[in-house]
Amino acid sequence: MKPARKNALPEEQIALGTFTRKEAGKKVALGFQHVHSQNNCGKEDACARATEKAITSGKVAVYPWEENKESQTAIISSSNSRYEVIPAIAAGLKLKHKRGLRERVESVLEELITNAIYHAYTRKDGDEKYERKNVIQLEKSEVIKIKYFGNRQGYFISVKDCGGSMEFSDLEKSFGRCYGSGSYSQIDSKESGAGLGMYLIFEAVTHVKVVCKRGVSTTITVWISDEHPAKPENFSFNFFEEE
Amino acid sequence: MLPMDKFKMESTMANEKKVVYFKGAVDEDTDFNALLKNEGPLRLNFAGVTAINSCGIRSWVNFLKELSGKEIIYEECPPLIVRQMNMVPSFLGKAQVASVFIPYICDNCEHEKTVLVTEAQFKGGNPQVAETIPCENCKKGEMEFDGQPKQYFAFSR
């Protein structure tokens, strides 16, 4: 696992504190692969401990919010299949009568899936293989796998592509655009998406974990808390690169 | 966001003013160019918008630049549009917000409802809206504002 902040000690790779989303986004833009914000009045942050342990051991952390044996699965084989899969997942998570949460979950799924379809796969020259304006039929080796489950505390969603082209520098740039000075005015028409998708995901969820295996796969896993947003400071962002 | 939910624009006259109704999902395929033909102030009704993704947001933000200098009014913005106005300030730009829907949810039966409020009730970021209303569904519980008023109306500051 490669630290993004070169030569930094393990404990210097994690930004720990009580942050606003904007402050946390700026931390990512500054090169912190791990940002933990919590306002638990001194109680131990189990997620931050898991991150510290992972950095020290060189492995990818498994967080308390990820643990469940009964996740359901879905497959995305084309850009149009998301129009059936996303509502089906929302129904599977029993969000029919929870409009606010349902919109948030559907929005996050839309961004995770389209991110995977249009950015994960590249041609031999390194350019992105698929354009947003086209209806895409993914090859068998490119299908996107989704896992999801819900409980009383919230909703887990994991989206995995088989491209593995995401790099931490992509997130540094997009968070820098969206959270830097003159924010939002840098939604650039020249660049596809301008990183707005990851920004929307980061703003909507409680925890984000990105695991990249270069050239093999990228898995983005999120946890969306069912709580009233009374604890906006309790969230985390973690990026791991598997070798 | 379903293919049958594709975006469309419809115009009508209301109180001698032209209103353009946005309906469906706003995404990478949405074309706003028809709005360029309108003269005078643009009154845009967002009540029928069912979804919006990052590409749709970017398309709208870039299109707003082409309408620079024009008087634009947003009305009947549903919660998903209010969320974008708060998360991406350039989504609103210099447009005026005439009215928004605010979401309520019953603490007893989980019935959901949106209520329309006008600019007079939220201008200046100091919302004067009910935090609870009686539930018309179960008639037992109270419907709470599904969010935090100051955060929900952050766009109006």
Side-chain angles (χ1 to χ4, degrees):
Chain A
M1 195 175 62
K2 302 173 196 173
R5 306 191 82 218
K6 216 172 175 183
N7 302 323
L9 295 170
E11 56 268 25
E12 291 171 345
Q13 294 171 43
I14 307 175
L16 271 175
T18 305
F19 307 120
T20 62
R21 295 287 166 147
K22 186 171 182 177
E23 288 165 347
K26 283 184 176 180
K27 294 285 183 192
V28 176
L30 285 172
F32 281 94
Q33 280 186 322
H34 309 282
V35 182
H36 285 269
S37 176
Q38 60 112 357
N39 191 11
N40 281 342
C41 302
K43 287 182 192 170
E44 188 175 88
D45 183 345
C47 292
R49 296 291 90 79
T51 298
E52 284 173 0
K53 198 174 163 185
I55 292 174
T56 308
S57 64
K59 293 181 181 175
V60 175
V62 176
Y63 295 105
W65 51 267
E66 293 184 81
E67 291 157 10
N68 184 279
K69 295 172 188 174
E70 296 173 2
S71 59
Q72 299 179 71
T73 58
I75 296 285
I76 295 285
S77 55
S78 71
S79 54
N80 275 355
S81 63
R82 75 188 197 264
Y83 298 127
E84 291 177 0
V85 169
I86 291 175
I89 291 176
L93 292 173
K94 299 185 171 64
L95 293 170
K96 186 179 175 186
H97 298 294
K98 296 183 178 182
R99 185 198 40 76
L101 263 174
R102 187 180 67 250
E103 284 176 358
R104 208 151 39 116
V105 166
E106 290 181 341
S107 171
V108 167
L109 277 166
E110 166 73 11
E111 298 305 329
L112 286 172
I113 292 168
T114 53
N115 201 56
I117 294 172
Y118 297 112
H119 298 298
Y121 304 108
T122 55
R123 295 194 298 258
K124 285 179 185 174
D125 59 8
D127 283 350
E128 286 172 348
K129 186 174 175 183
Y130 298 118
E131 286 187 26
R132 281 189 182 259
K133 291 272 180 189
N134 301 330
V135 175
I136 307 300
Q137 187 66 41
L138 296 169
E139 296 178 28
K140 276 187 186 171
S141 59
E142 294 173 339
V143 294
I144 290 153
K145 295 169 190 168
I146 304 172
K147 287 186 186 175
Y148 60 99
F149 69 80
N151 59 33
R152 284 182 190 173
Q153 283 77 45
Y155 306 94
F156 165 100
I157 296 167
S158 178
V159 175
K160 181 179 180 178
D161 67 57
C162 302
S165 59
M166 184 180 278
E167 297 182 34
F168 183 66
S169 56
D170 299 326
L171 297 169
E172 282 181 284
K173 283 177 208 161
S174 66
F175 277 55
R177 274 195 292 268
C178 293
Y179 289 107
S181 56
S183 314
Y184 318 113
S185 62
Q186 297 191 46
I187 296 174
D188 189 348
S189 58
K190 292 175 200 153
E191 293 186 44
S192 168
L196 199 49
M198 276 310 296
Y199 165 70
L200 294 177
I201 292 165
F202 184 61
E203 287 281 330
V205 307
T206 312
H207 299 295
V208 181
K209 172 177 144 184
V210 183
V211 181
C212 291
K213 201 164 184 179
R214 198 99 181 91
V216 177
S217 66
T218 299
T219 306
I220 303 181
T221 306
V222 303
W223 174 257
I224 301 171
S225 172
D226 200 5
E227 282 183 312
H228 189 284
K231 296 181 185 175
E233 306 95 350
N234 290 358
F235 59 89
S236 70
F237 169 91
N238 286 280
F239 181 95
F240 297 94
E241 191 162 354
E242 281 188 299
E243 291 176 33
Chain B
M1 191 178 300
L2 304 170
M4 72 272 280
D5 219 17
K6 277 301 183 185
F7 183 79
K8 52 186 175 186
M9 286 191 277
E10 293 172 359
S11 299
T12 59
M13 295 300 291
N15 297 326
E16 297 181 1
K17 286 181 186 168
K18 189 172 185 181
V19 182
V20 178
Y21 291 84
F22 286 174
K23 295 186 178 180
V26 182
D27 60 16
E28 55 271 19
D29 293 330
T30 304
D31 183 356
F32 298 108
N33 285 324
L35 291 174
L36 293 171
K37 296 176 195 168
N38 287 277
E39 290 176 5
L42 255 183
R43 199 165 187 97
L44 306 172
N45 188 300
F46 285 88
V49 173
T50 53
I52 183 165
N53 67 9
S54 56
C55 286
I57 295 166
R58 185 166 60 83
S59 295
W60 179 247
V61 167
N62 285 331
F63 185 75
L64 271 183
K65 294 174 191 169
E66 295 188 51
L67 298 176
S68 144
K70 208 171 180 54
E71 185 188 350
I72 301 171
I73 301 154
Y74 291 6
E75 64 175 36
E76 297 190 3
C77 302
L80 70 96
I81 293 296
V82 173
R83 211 158 33 242
Q84 303 316 323
M85 295 195 300
N86 285 324
M87 284 203 293
V88 188
S90 48
F91 184 87
L92 179 58
K94 293 185 179 172
Q96 179 198 343
V97 182
S99 57
V100 301
F101 284 100
I102 54 177
Y104 287 91
I105 184 164
C106 178
D107 60 4
N108 181 52
C109 68
E110 292 189 326
H111 177 67
E112 294 179 23
K113 179 180 174 170
T114 56
V115 172
L116 189 67
V117 294
T118 61
E119 190 184 5
Q121 290 170 271
F122 56 77
K123 197 169 182 177
N126 191 20
Q128 306 295 318
V129 298
E131 293 229 17
T132 60
I133 56 176
C135 179
E136 61 204 11
N137 185 52
C138 68
K139 298 192 179 10
K140 289 180 191 173
E142 276 200 323
M143 302 195 80
E144 291 181 344
F145 190 115
D146 189 11
Q148 290 190 328
K150 289 225 159 170
Q151 280 180 13
Y152 195 79
F153 291 103
F155 67 87
S156 64
R157 285 190 221 125

